[in-house]
Amino acid sequence: MVVYRFLASPRWLGYAALTVAAATVMVLLGLWQLDRYHQRAEINARIDAGASATPVPLTGVVGAPPRAAGTVGPAPAEHTEWTRVTVTGRYDPAHEILVRGRTVEGAVGFEVLTPLVLSDGTAVLVDRGWVRPAAAGALTAPEVPAAPGGSVTVAGRLRPPESRGGRPQEVNGHAEIRRITPSAIAPALPYALFDAYVSSDEPAPGFTMVPAEKQNALQNAGYVLQWWLFAAMTVYGFGYLARREARGPRPANLLDDEADEEEEAAHGASR
């Protein structure tokens, strides 16, 4: 009862409100990290499932674009990322694009995007793989294996468009981009594009396959425990200090205080 009466004081009511507010924020941060953990774990599960899944037709996963040149189709649903797909068409090496600044196995090089034109005249960008930069430097076009001619069937992982991409830029006779954004690339091409691209599972000799990058979900799980532990420590610390303050000094401390007062009085009388 003493503690409850003590906590009813205006000062400690303010401290209690601050403690509750701080603990609530920490719990909410933990919930946010828990949501991030589930999102990343789901992505990792899709990557694992796609490694052994049977490819499905591209058009059954993402909507086809309209026939107008320079346009793109609907964006793929979020849950379709990393789905293993298959698509048949003819490569258009005349509009091949190099994606610069891409890192694979610790080395920076290029990913090679080659449009694959389907029988209906639309196209999808195929990431045929990664190549090292030329020995002469980054401004020199790397050696890129030629795309096969005729009708080909490509199997690979469906990838959504990357953000903040721009139109291809001419660099020493070849087209380059930094990020793969079909809506920004489409105006430079003579056909409509799917608003996604396919990362090849079986790159031709001379290419290195671009690996699927798993998310660090365990890091988010650690943050969940961290924030909730902080919240529990905040509430416990407030309760401990409030209880200690409400009880006042211990009896031993009171006796010490009385002894000090007597000693001071005696000392004053002797003066």
Side-chain angles (χ1 to χ4, degrees), residues 22-248:
T24 300
V25 169
M26 294 174 189
V27 169
L28 292 176
L29 287 171
L31 290 173
W32 173 62
Q33 289 292 341
L34 182 61
D35 183 60
R36 291 288 297 151
Y37 165 78
H38 287 306
Q39 291 177 10
R40 289 185 164 187
E42 182 182 354
I43 292 173
N44 292 340
R46 289 202 300 268
I47 292 174
D48 290 338
S52 57
T54 301
V56 297
L58 172 69
T59 52
V61 180
V62 58
R67 302 296 178 86
T71 60
V72 294
E78 184 177 350
H79 69 273
T80 62
E81 183 180 7
W82 300 112
T83 300
R84 219 167 158 241
V85 297
T86 183
V87 58
T88 300
R90 294 175 178 270
Y91 278 122
D92 177 15
H95 292 96
E96 193 164 76
I97 303 170
L98 300 180
V99 190
R100 65 180 178 274
R102 307 296 251 202
T103 302
V104 172
E105 298 177 354
V108 179
F110 298 87
E111 291 176 28
V112 180
L113 284 182
T114 309
L116 185 73
V117 183
L118 282 61
S119 59
D120 62 1
T122 64
V124 62
L125 297 172
V126 175
D127 188 338
R128 294 201 290 134
W130 179 89
V131 294
R132 295 185 177 276
L139 295 181
T140 303
E143 294 184 10
V144 177
S151 180
V152 296
T153 298
V154 176
R157 305 292 192 92
L158 182 70
R159 300 301 318 277
E162 298 175 355
S163 60
R164 302 187 304 278
R167 290 177 62 107
Q169 302 294 319
E170 196 76 15
V171 179
N172 289 348
H174 60 272
E176 282 191 13
I177 56 174
R178 180 65 183 84
R179 300 184 67 79
I180 306 174
T181 308
S183 60
I185 298 171
L189 301 178
Y191 29 69
L193 281 180
F194 282 78
D195 195 18
Y197 69 100
V198 177
S199 182
S200 176
D201 274 349
E202 302 171 351
F207 285 108
T208 298
M209 186 177 74
V210 179
E213 295 184 3
K214 286 194 172 185
Q215 303 287 314
N216 189 359
L218 290 178
Q219 182 182 50
N220 297 98
Y223 288 151
V224 172
L225 295 176
Q226 173 183 293
W227 283 118
W228 288 354
L229 180 61
F230 286 166
M233 291 173 61
T234 299
V235 174
Y236 174 80
F238 171 79
Y240 174 79
L241 292 175
R243 184 179 180 85
R244 182 177 179 180
E245 187 76 14
R247 286 181 171 180

